[in-house]
Amino acid sequence: MPEALVTLSLRVNGDDVRVAVRPSQTLLEVLRVGLELTGTKQGCDKGDCGACTVLLDGEPVLACLTLAVTCEGRVVQTVESLTREDPLVDAFDCHGAGQCGFCTPGMLMTAKGLLAKHGRPSRETIKQAISGNLCRCTGYGPIVEAIAAAGEGRRGKKDEEPLPAPLPSWEAPKP
Amino acid sequence: MLPLPEFTVHTPASVDEAVALLAKLGPGAMLLAGGTDLLPNMKQGLHAPAHVVSLQRLGALRGVRREGDALVIGAMTTLDAVAGSAEAKTHAAALAEAAAVVGGPQHRRMGTLGGNLCLDTRCRYYNQTAFWRGALGYCLKKDGDTCHVVEGGRKCVAAASNDTAAAAIALEATVVLTGPAGIRRLPAADFFVADGARNTARREGELLTALEVPVRAGRVSVYEKLRRRGAIDFPLLSVAVRLDREDGSARALDVVISALAAKPRRLAAAQKLGAADLATLPIDTLADAALRECNPLPNIEGDVVWRKQMVRVLVKRALGRATSLA
Ligand SMILES: Cc1cc2nc3c(=O)[nH]c(=O)nc-3n(C[C@H](O)[C@H](O)[C@H](O)COP(=O)(O)OP(=O)(O)OC[C@H]3O[C@@H](n4cnc5c(N)ncnc54)[C@H](O)[C@@H]3O)c2cc1C
Ligand code: SF4
Ligand code: FES
Ligand code: FES
């Protein structure tokens, strides 16, 4: 017998959305497949890597281990909610904190959750906060520096340079 | 992608409703707290419950509160909240320290104390995809009849991998369960059972509602964990120590060692110490005794020789820290 669909209402990146989901679908699947918000990445799909981190009611959690139906009425924020002007995105850019970029959406959302609580976190606090997000490229240094810079309102080496124009093709998909 | 098998989700609004649901749905139902253990296991085909009963709405089971001379920690309290609780850090330090080193920050924000205490045991031959397990040949914990860890073994020796278990035992905590027959209280030491296939005394249809930790003057406790990385990894070995002091001298000591087999073990040498020994607290002797008493099995990752040698190191470290705090 196919699973009965359930209508789920939640707030995603500021929009109220209603989406039909199967009880066995994870929030990650619903975001990526149901709502076509593919910014949130699927790495291991079993809680090991942190690539799927999103903010659920403001807290960084793993979307691959969250049942979508348990998100009824809750507030989800994904990487698509961050604009090009966001100090964190800018700092990641300026510090080269993303290489292949696969961990970046998860790192950004973890960092977003951290900065909402600690205005200017120490390097140690940052390392603790991102310890559930694996990065295979950067060696973490640039990521820690980027988050620290965003917390302190610095742009790093490129402080003097004006912001580049946003990429013309880039527009957040509306769910 | 690792799709979940199909199931129906239920979200009871009270403990009574949850217990009634479990009774009605029978053994085909499983409880879901934070989901950080159940869901990966379901994705690997280790469990396929027809019904999943989510405890998410049981707000009454969240929080740490003081009740007389006990700290009552609701089963749905997140590990993050346990680790950050001032009361827990003061009166149940080993538990707060253990909660603080479970997995990574996301796991601690999602994972609950109840889920951690009821964590399934782990084994390198069990926590694998169905394809992987099938290729090697299923083992007796799931679908098969042999053990790959102990040749010819008739009993599963998968490892207790929950950080809070050893701390709960060392702190003489009580596990509170609610089932169809009412409320049942069990010392944490009796809640865990030496059977990797089913390592808790929780009965069908029961819900763990709280952990009660006694609050005692002069008590200190610490937790030490061995893992490869500083985050995310399950314990390869863990040690919880409780030291009770009165008028400046030690009166009781408990050393609990876990992540060896299905049940955390109390160090016999520590239980046998007389009043005179307690006064001097022979740390090196105890650490050597622990090394002799503990024999890690190749059930989880990590070289067994390393895990065995580290028994002595962690026991020494934990005792050293406990005595310096006392
Ligand atoms: C990458 C990774 C790393 C991890 N590292 C660690 C680690 O280092 N140490 C560690 O201890 N754990 C670790 N975990 C496991 C897990 O995150 C934690 O143990 C967590 O505390 C489990 O709690 P939960 O609420 O998510 O449990 P769930 O997954 O919801 O439940 C776990 C089990 O307990 C049962 N259960 C839950 N609540 C109750 C209740 N109230 N009454 C009766 N039964 C109940 C469930 O039916 C299920 O069988 C890790 C997990 C992952 C994915
Ligand atoms: S200890 Fe043996 S029976 Fe238990 S899970 Fe491992 S291989 Fe299977
Ligand atoms: S995809 Fe969720 S933790 Fe790896
Ligand atoms: S940039 Fe490639 S994994 Fe982090």
Side-chain angles (χ1 to χ4, degrees):
Chain A
M1 193 180 72
E3 280 179 297
L5 290 177
V6 181
T7 309
L8 177 69
S9 309
L10 70 173
R11 204 171 170 82
V12 180
N13 299 337
D15 293 322
D16 288 318
V17 299
R18 276 158 68 81
V19 53
V21 304
R22 283 180 287 109
S24 65
Q25 274 184 307
T26 61
L27 175 61
L28 179 62
E29 260 180 274
V30 170
L31 287 172
R32 288 183 54 86
V33 182
L35 299 174
E36 295 183 22
L37 291 170
T38 51
T40 307
K41 296 296 172 246
Q42 179 189 84
C44 62
D45 206 23
K46 59 187 182 71
D48 294 329
C49 72
C52 64
T53 304
V54 298
L55 298 184
L56 185 57
D57 293 332
E59 297 275 352
V61 298
L62 304 174
C64 75
L65 296 187
T66 303
L67 285 188
V69 290
T70 62
C71 299
E72 175 66 34
R74 300 175 77 178
V75 179
V76 179
Q77 253 176 288
T78 69
V79 71
E80 282 90 349
S81 69
L82 306 182
T83 64
R84 178 65 188 76
E85 284 73 32
D86 191 292
L88 200 54
V89 176
D90 183 40
F92 264 58
D93 189 5
C94 292
H95 287 81
Q99 284 183 28
C100 79
F102 202 79
C103 70
T104 312
M107 285 287 183
L108 283 169
M109 298 323 286
T110 295
K112 203 73 194 157
L114 171 70
L115 292 181
K117 281 198 179 143
H118 300 264
R120 297 178 63 152
S122 67
R123 301 285 193 286
E124 201 39 53
T125 306
I126 295 170
K127 285 182 191 170
Q128 280 286 338
I130 65 166
S131 64
N133 292 75
L134 298 183
C135 174
R136 298 288 83 154
C137 305
T138 62
Y140 302 99
I143 296 175
V144 174
E145 288 311 310
I147 298 171
E152 291 166 15
R154 287 187 292 109
R155 291 195 58 214
K157 289 191 206 82
K158 299 196 180 165
D159 235 350
E160 272 74 65
E161 290 176 28
L163 271 179
L167 297 178
S169 61
W170 197 84
E171 193 186 300
K174 284 281 174 238
Chain B
M1 190 178 128
L2 294 166
L4 283 164
E6 296 186 355
F7 50 80
T8 308
V9 177
H10 306 262
T11 48
S14 69
V15 170
D16 289 346
E17 208 184 303
V19 170
L21 253 175
L22 285 181
K24 191 180 105 194
L25 300 171
M30 284 190 84
L31 293 168
L32 177 82
T36 58
D37 180 51
L38 184 63
L39 296 182
N41 288 355
M42 282 173 65
K43 287 180 176 198
Q44 297 192 317
L46 297 170
H47 310 291
H51 300 275
V52 167
V53 177
S54 162
L55 303 178
Q56 191 199 16
R57 282 166 71 199
L58 305 190
L61 299 188
R62 283 183 210 274
V64 182
R65 56 176 201 280
R66 180 77 181 264
E67 266 180 30
D69 54 6
L71 215 54
V72 180
I73 310 178
M76 286 299 287
T77 311
T78 63
L79 295 167
D80 207 30
V82 175
S85 152
E87 294 250 53
K89 283 197 254 188
T90 313
H91 303 296
L95 190 74
E97 287 183 10
V101 293
V102 168
Q106 290 95 324
H107 305 112
R108 297 192 289 272
R109 238 173 252 131
M110 303 169 74
T112 63
L113 179 62
N116 194 252
L117 290 168
C118 296
L119 191 81
D120 198 0
T121 52
R122 297 182 63 84
C123 172
R124 65 213 296 179
Y125 302 106
Y126 173 71
N127 297 98
Q128 301 289 354
T129 58
F131 175 79
W132 193 104
R133 286 180 289 117
L136 181 70
Y138 298 111
C139 74
L140 54 86
K141 181 164 162 74
K142 172 80 185 153
D143 299 336
D145 50 16
T146 49
C147 175
H148 302 303
V149 172
V150 180
E151 212 179 314
R154 300 307 314 153
K155 198 166 167 189
C156 172
V157 291
S161 303
N162 37 3
D163 282 293
T164 62
I169 296 174
L171 287 164
E172 304 177 298
T174 302
V175 172
V176 187
L177 299 149
T178 304
I183 295 177
R184 201 157 70 95
R185 283 189 157 71
L186 274 179
D190 299 336
F191 178 68
F192 298 102
V193 180
D195 176 0
R198 193 177 166 83
N199 81 324
T200 73
R202 173 183 168 262
R203 294 185 192 138
E204 205 60 64
E206 276 184 332
L207 181 72
L208 196 159
T209 51
L211 185 75
E212 295 175 346
V213 188
V215 171
R216 299 274 180 275
R219 168 168 290 187
V220 292
S221 64
V222 301
Y223 182 75
E224 289 288 341
K225 167 173 180 172
L226 178 69
R227 54 177 164 181
R228 223 180 270 283
R229 303 172 290 187
I232 307 176
D233 293 343
F234 281 92
L236 299 176
L237 177 71
S238 66
V239 176
V241 163
R242 179 194 94 245
L243 181 62
D244 287 332
R245 293 171 57 109
E246 220 175 282
D247 306 325
S249 59
R251 285 293 144 89
L253 173 75
D254 204 351
V255 179
V256 181
I257 305 175
S258 192
L260 298 167
K263 183 182 159 97
R265 65 183 292 150
R266 280 190 140 129
L267 180 65
Q271 308 267 291
K272 286 190 209 123
L273 291 186
D277 293 323
L278 276 171
T280 54
L281 213 65
I283 291 181
D284 287 320
T285 316
L286 283 168
D288 288 341
L291 180 71
R292 284 192 302 275
E293 273 183 43
C294 298
N295 287 302
L297 297 163
N299 49 2
I300 46 176
E301 271 173 71
D303 180 58
V304 279
V305 177
W306 178 50
R307 282 168 64 214
K308 182 165 170 73
Q309 292 298 325
M310 287 306 285
V311 170
R312 182 199 261 138
V313 177
L314 288 204
V315 168
K316 225 168 145 162
R317 206 178 279 166
L319 285 170
R321 214 147 58 76
T323 44
S324 73
L325 288 172

